[in-house]
Amino acid sequence: MKSTFSVLFLILSLLPPGLGADKPNVLFILVDDMNWRLGCYGSELAHTPNLDRLAKRGVRFDRAYCNFPVCGPSRTSLLSGRFPESTGVFGNGVDPRTVLGEDYRFLPEYFRDHGYYTAGVGKIPHTPEHLDSMVWDFHRDPQWQPEAVFHGIVPKDTLDWPEENHPDGISTRLAIEMLETKRDQPLFLTVGFHRPHAPRAAPQHYWDLIDPNTLPIPKPGTLTRGIPAVAIPPKFEPEYPEPKIRSTLHAYHATAAFIDAQVGLLMKTMDENDLWDSTIVVFTSDHGVYLGEHGGFWTKMTLMEEAMKVPLLVHLPGGASGETSSAPVGLVDIFPTLTDACGLPTQEGIEGESLVSLVKDPKSTREKDATWGTVIRREGKIQRFGHSVRTRKWAYSEWPDGSKQLYHHAKDPGELENLVDDPEHHEIQERLVSKLEKHRKRLAGTDVRREDPEKPNIVIILADDLGYEDLGIQGSSEVRTPHLDSLATNGVRCSEAYISAPVCSPSRAGILTGRYQNRFGFEFLASKDATVEPGQLVGLPPQEITIAERMKELGYVTGCVGKWHVGDQEAQYPTNQGFDEFYGTLGQSGYFEPMLFDSRNSTKPKKVKTPGYYVTEDYSRRAVEFVQEHQNEPFFLYLPHFAVHKPHVATDRYLERFHEEVDPIRRTYLAMLSAMDDGVGLLLEALRETGLEEETLIFFLSDNGGTQGSSNLPLRGRKGGTWEGGIRTPFLIQWKSRLPAGEVFSKPVISLDLFPTCIAAGGGTVKQASQLDGVNLLPWLNGKRDDSPHKSLFWRFGTQWAIRHGDWKLVQAREGKTGSIQIAETGPVRLFDLSNDLAETNDLATALPEKVAELQQFWDTWAEQLPKPKWLPPPVPGG
């Protein structure tokens, strides 16, 4: 008998620390953007019977808070057990692994190290690119891998889907399978639901649970008194109309009800398999969300209740049931709570505190009895932080500009009265200041990254074949481009702006190099059917220095999202021309099933076959992700859209906006433009939510003039010609912290100016050897110079050419529709005074031969420097 016990003791001693045969399983349920509007928290609007039942099985924490009110930082803090100040993760785009190192063990990894079978389904890290940051035995997020269920889908498209087709429904069924088959391992299972975060999609019957007309709505329009300006979230919308408010509230409650039903399926599985006595269950959200409070708050990014407070329900076998705790706790406490409850040793570096004592006795207290929050604000490119501390009754916040907030939650749970200037509360304020200072001192010395204050982020948005008139800000009465128009409202509109070629490929080569593309033989379209000498590349020569290569030298991370179209050989790929990341197509590849490159996953293109996919929406989504991923470092994003190039195709979502348009081609064109404008809106919103908008330099222009379906009025001509309609473009520049708002710059500029302007903005100098043809526009845009940036601008495109010198333009342009777009028949050399003849209708060549000769000499001198084109377009059929 003694020998048998000795052997048994030896076997147990060899098991991983803390692991025995009776270790409990863990079911950790994490949702996204859900506040405490649940039935168990007193909400009469919520349809959450299953979560209410879970609350009765365990402990409901009434003062549970995230530690950072944004997905990525909050989830990193939760999964690492460390405060955001220690992780250094303050934005959604940061990979937790890169900041905490290869050796750090995140929550699932720590359990895996101690003998648990670890399974993660759904959204756990923030972005799909970080799915592999943590090691699991099984991990799958149906929203992104492998199904990409919501790729290109709008919420209303999913109303008739069965639950099991939704990403969260798929996750639920995977989790049920794990509970039924891996229950004896023991099992650590995390279920990450994407809803009720946008897109707020759910089957129709969840929407039918709620009549939106009965929803009590917050009163918009007036900011709650006492809230400092710095404390207002990025999305403050005091003018939301009532229908939009009702729609948003309806969507939130419908998707919350959908998630509640998925939790109900998990609980049913627990019931049927008698798992409650052997399973710890934790339910929470990564942060809260505003739904119109304080006069129009509609996001997070504050230190106030609606953004910080989260539901937290904990079932612990042997713990309390149906009770509540008023102790202030944070999501950072979940890691040590679970290891403590499972008998595992505490991981080194954990900064949270176990809640097990509170789950066993909800009326007890903890030593610190407080929780802390952090949020980011930016002063230029420097990160500053707001900090908060919460106790059982009080909340106190400090902001980088010296502003403060103090609320007595026992009397004012809605935080309607800021007591910071009330002398009666001076003593409590001092105590809270002391608590906050002690917490910050404990975290002192952690690696908090800060950006170079001299380097703005830079974004170039390029439309394809956009008509000159086709923006609201350009004077059109029939288009709807509020987001693009806002760039001019908040920045500078260049009314005399040009592109360096009247077709796609050459003009893009000019943008990328800052040089007339003719200087390196790139005169015609880069196409597979071009006539070229053996061994000669068609497209951008690899030896040409691109804007991305220069920005990398200045410390920028660089990304290209969209249509490349300057060469399809490997040496010409964006990732071999200075871009760290490329997501898009090498050329024109359709709107619905393109051959798409994603440099993060492969060096080969893959055909997209996702139902509902639309490339304009996809490029916008990826641009937003790029901003979120790289918000903690200076970035350069080149976003060359395929829109609004033919073929004229759009989804019903955008076509419905122009149902009154009679011409079907014009209608589809406008729908395509509207989709691009929506995407620009999403990008601007991402910049605002990450606090980057003020210090981001944004350019918008088209790669050439418009064609079929567009309007180039009041200009003459279109794409493919050296008339104004082929080479003149809308050109908008926004840099809120450095450039004036609402200005119109009326001297000639050209797309070649983007290169040196970006270099100068990024703190660099233009190298003499670069031989750039563009100039740094900043001295003109900020009023330091009042002369013209260019004496002359030049064009050569096959048989066509032009020069603009001052207000004069000499041009030999396409005549009619004969020939091809590249080798066109031309008329006589014409002279126009653009200062009073923008439409080029009054030819002055006969009347002013001396001016013709002067400009002709200028153009001839420029053209003599140019080599012959490196390739020629295919012959015209029958020519």
Side-chain angles (χ1 to χ4, degrees), residues 143-144 148-153 583 596 608 610-613 618 621:
Q143 181 148 315
W144 303 110
V149 172
F150 272 10
H151 205 63
I153 296 295
Y583 186 92
L596 198 68
V608 176
T610 304
Y613 174 91
D618 194 24
R621 175 193 65 81

Side-chain angles (χ1 to χ4, degrees), residues 477-591:
S477 60
E478 58 181 327
V479 301
R480 303 164 195 169
T481 53
H483 305 297
L484 286 167
D485 294 349
S486 75
L487 296 177
T489 304
N490 296 316
V492 178
R493 180 171 69 91
C494 296
S495 61
E496 308 275 331
Y498 292 90
I499 201 79
S500 63
V503 293
C504 309
S505 292
S507 70
R508 291 167 187 246
I511 289 172
L512 289 167
T513 61
R515 286 158 40 86
Y516 284 109
Q517 62 283 347
N518 312 80
R519 294 193 185 280
F520 44 89
F522 201 140
E523 190 154 324
F524 299 105
L525 288 165
S527 60
K528 295 183 182 297
D529 55 2
T531 303
V532 62
E533 295 289 335
Q536 172 66 50
L537 284 177
V538 174
L540 187 65
Q543 62 269 26
E544 284 293 320
I545 303 301
T546 70
I547 187 172
E549 290 173 291
R550 287 290 282 119
M551 298 311 292
K552 278 180 67 68
E553 292 177 4
L554 296 174
Y556 281 74
V557 59
T558 56
C560 174
V561 177
K563 172 186 165 183
W564 180 238
H565 207 198
V566 292
D568 59 6
Q569 300 303 301
E570 187 172 352
Q572 299 167 314
Y573 285 7
T575 47
N576 291 320
Q577 294 290 326
F579 287 99
D580 296 310
E581 299 179 16
F582 173 50
Y583 186 92
T585 64
L586 292 177
Q588 294 168 198
S589 191
Y591 284 90

Side-chain angles (χ1 to χ4, degrees), residues 421-466:
D421 294 324
D422 188 339
E424 292 185 12
H425 299 94
H426 179 74
E427 184 177 346
I428 184 63
Q429 182 174 325
E430 287 299 309
R431 290 204 302 269
L432 295 171
V433 168
S434 177
K435 281 181 176 288
L436 188 56
E437 285 301 312
K438 288 179 181 178
H439 170 70
R440 294 169 68 176
K441 286 180 180 179
R442 282 195 298 268
L443 300 179
T446 56
D447 180 20
V448 177
R449 295 189 295 168
R450 304 191 186 279
E451 295 89 1
D452 183 346
E454 301 301 321
K455 293 186 185 297
N457 302 304
I458 299 174
V459 178
I460 297 175
I461 307 170
L462 187 66
D464 197 330
D465 293 4
L466 176 68

Side-chain angles (χ1 to χ4, degrees), residues 390-408:
R390 281 172 166 79
T391 62
R392 289 178 180 252
K393 296 181 179 180
W394 294 91
Y396 171 76
S397 300
E398 292 180 348
W399 293 96
D401 67 349
S403 302
K404 301 174 182 178
Q405 293 173 275
L406 177 67
Y407 298 103
H408 189 185

